[in-house]
Amino acid sequence: MPRRLAALCLAGVVLAASACSGSSGGDDGTVELRFGWWGNNDRAAATQKVIDAFQAKNPGIKVKGTYTDFNSYFDRLATEVAGGRAPDVITLGGAYPREYGDRGALLDLAKVGLKTDKIGAAALENGKFDGVQYGVPTGVNAIAVVVNPAVFDKAGVKLPDEDTWTWDDFKRIAKEIAPKVPKGTFALADPTRTDMLDAYSRQRGEALYTADGKVGIGQQTLVDWWTMTLELRDAGATPPASQTAELITQPAPEQSLVGRGLAAMQFDWSNQLTALRKASGQPLKLIRLPGESARPGMWLQASQIYSINARSKHPQEAAKFLDFLVNSVDAGKIILADRGMPANSEVRAGIQSVLGEDEKVQAQFIDKLTPKAGPPLVIGPTGSTDTPKILDRVNAEVLFDRQKPAEAAADFIRQVQVAIKQ
């Protein structure tokens, strides 16, 4: 079932599925829960260690983990929720807590008394809508530029000054790198993604969405963005359209250009640094986005959100597991910064002594960004979870020269307006 259709069915189907849930019970009285997330094999291995640690402390509760890659996760979740088979503890992000919360699919966490007093208010807001706390953050994250100094060195190009560089500097640097690296290596992958449009538009005093749930990004901002990305493509700084289309289907860090050592830069979330360093075998760095000196567009965000299925047969046990995930130093020492720097201040302090070099780099980046970051992100309204796929489709039209930037800008805005009104 397509994601949007499944989401539209949630209100009726979830209520009809009250006899169903993702959990069950064993013959011996053991409570069985399901926990769903997205990620790669490294994340799965760490998550299983957390599950094992929880089960050791709670022998009456068994947790079965289920995961898939990011591109498949939300389609599968929509189908599971619509069919009454969603996991008991669900990982979400972006506008999804609102999307599912509005349709009655998520539990109000106040009903299970989950402790959140050590989690910052700004991070908690990412999972709170209309006064209801539908989810809690796994950790704090930020969009960043991941740079590979080795590729810069090979090209004979200096690393940018993150405190002063502009988008013009960014274009110049990318075009400078392009002819000086081996064939198959690029300055960066095509940078068009919703979080980058949000940051780029916020630097112009806009945002992807307005606080009252409308499209906030201006048509000229989109025209300028696509004019820039076409310049990069034509200069060979980014891959040709056919390769970009292929890369979109390969979201894992180890499949990315930077993860394969084939790019100088990549726009990505700060918590991806460890996986990207491991995949590339390079001492990658995190720097701030271009254009931040005039008006900050970057923000601190909950990297992911944990929620509880409203139809779980075992909400108290699910809450106990969720409490372990976000409030336990033991869990924090296993997960470290994989899901962002821990949102719970006690957990963050408790893991400092065991952080590896990669995690320390992330922590330093977040600490440095905190006083310079812009206001909290405006979370998209119901229907905005369709925006990434709309953007991928329209961006392909631009990169394959089937739409001019002005036409694509109008088309993108129109399609998002339709999606958020459904």
Side-chain angles (χ1 to χ4, degrees), residues 122-181:
L124 278 173
E125 287 297 316
N126 285 261
K128 187 175 184 178
F129 302 96
D130 298 324
V132 180
Q133 195 76 51
Y134 288 119
V136 291
T138 64
V140 180
N141 217 356
I143 193 71
V145 185
V146 182
V147 298
N148 187 336
V151 178
F152 274 85
D153 288 344
K154 286 180 183 177
V157 177
K158 291 183 179 180
L159 290 175
D161 180 347
E162 65 174 339
D163 292 323
T164 62
W165 72 323
T166 65
W167 286 102
D168 285 339
D169 293 328
F170 164 73
K171 287 192 295 182
R172 174 183 54 78
I173 290 169
K175 290 178 181 180
E176 208 176 320
I177 290 171
K180 299 178 180 179
V181 291

Side-chain angles (χ1 to χ4, degrees), residues 235-248:
T238 58
S242 58
Q243 188 173 352
T244 293
E246 183 180 353
L247 286 167
I248 288 173

Side-chain angles (χ1 to χ4, degrees), residues 352-370:
Q352 291 301 312
S353 62
V354 296
L355 286 179
E357 177 59 28
D358 297 346
E359 290 82 16
K360 287 178 180 177
V361 170
Q362 294 174 49
Q364 290 165 2
F365 179 75
I366 293 295
D367 287 345
K368 187 176 179 181
L369 173 63
T370 298

Side-chain angles (χ1 to χ4, degrees), residues 81-142:
V81 172
R85 297 177 287 102
D88 300 275
V89 178
I90 304 169
T91 306
L92 296 170
Y96 281 100
R98 170 178 278 169
E99 184 100 11
Y100 284 107
D102 282 353
R103 289 175 168 82
L106 303 180
L107 186 71
D108 177 355
L109 295 181
K111 293 182 179 180
V112 289
L114 184 73
K115 287 182 59 179
T116 60
D117 56 303
K118 299 300 181 181
I119 299 175
L124 278 173
E125 287 297 316
N126 285 261
K128 187 175 184 178
F129 302 96
D130 298 324
V132 180
Q133 195 76 51
Y134 288 119
V136 291
T138 64
V140 180
N141 217 356

Side-chain angles (χ1 to χ4, degrees), residues 51-295:
I51 291 172
D52 292 343
F54 172 76
Q55 291 178 157
K57 292 177 179 290
N58 300 274
I61 305 174
K62 299 296 182 185
V63 180
K64 179 182 179 182
T66 61
Y67 76 100
T68 186
D69 65 85
F70 181 82
N71 282 356
S72 305
Y73 177 80
F74 291 101
D75 288 326
R76 186 173 80 172
L77 179 63
T79 302
E80 289 178 328
V81 172
R85 297 177 287 102
D88 300 275
V89 178
I90 304 169
T91 306
L92 296 170
Y96 281 100
R98 170 178 278 169
E99 184 100 11
Y100 284 107
D102 282 353
R103 289 175 168 82
L106 303 180
L107 186 71
D108 177 355
L109 295 181
K111 293 182 179 180
V112 289
L114 184 73
K115 287 182 59 179
T116 60
D117 56 303
K118 299 300 181 181
I119 299 175
L124 278 173
E125 287 297 316
N126 285 261
K128 187 175 184 178
F129 302 96
D130 298 324
V132 180
Q133 195 76 51
Y134 288 119
V136 291
T138 64
V140 180
N141 217 356
I143 193 71
V145 185
V146 182
V147 298
N148 187 336
V151 178
F152 274 85
D153 288 344
K154 286 180 183 177
V157 177
K158 291 183 179 180
L159 290 175
D161 180 347
E162 65 174 339
D163 292 323
T164 62
W165 72 323
T166 65
W167 286 102
D168 285 339
D169 293 328
F170 164 73
K171 287 192 295 182
R172 174 183 54 78
I173 290 169
K175 290 178 181 180
E176 208 176 320
I177 290 171
K180 299 178 180 179
V181 291
K183 184 177 180 180
T185 300
F186 300 92
L188 72 158
D190 179 77
T192 305
R193 43 192 286 176
T194 52
D195 42 37
M196 285 308 304
L197 289 187
D198 234 323
Y200 187 71
S201 61
R202 280 161 59 95
Q203 290 177 349
R204 296 178 169 213
E206 303 170 350
L208 194 49
Y209 309 104
T210 63
D212 58 353
K214 296 183 174 62
V215 177
I217 191 169
Q219 187 164 331
Q220 187 58 51
T221 298
L222 288 164
V223 170
D224 292 345
W225 177 265
W226 271 312
T227 299
M228 175 181 67
T229 62
L230 286 176
E231 283 184 43
L232 296 175
R233 181 207 63 182
D234 292 344
T238 58
S242 58
Q243 188 173 352
T244 293
E246 183 180 353
L247 286 167
I248 288 173
T249 69
Q250 301 171 340
E254 56 269 22
Q255 296 171 316
S256 68
L257 292 180
V258 161
R260 289 183 280 156
L262 299 177
M265 297 179 282
Q266 179 167 304
F267 293 106
D268 214 328
W269 291 97
S270 55
N271 69 307
Q272 293 298 301
L273 182 69
T274 300
L276 288 168
R277 277 186 163 188
K278 179 179 178 181
S280 66
Q282 297 290 332
L284 308 177
K285 297 179 61 176
L286 295 171
I287 66 172
R288 292 161 65 211
L289 303 186
E292 286 290 291
S293 57
R295 184 201 294 258

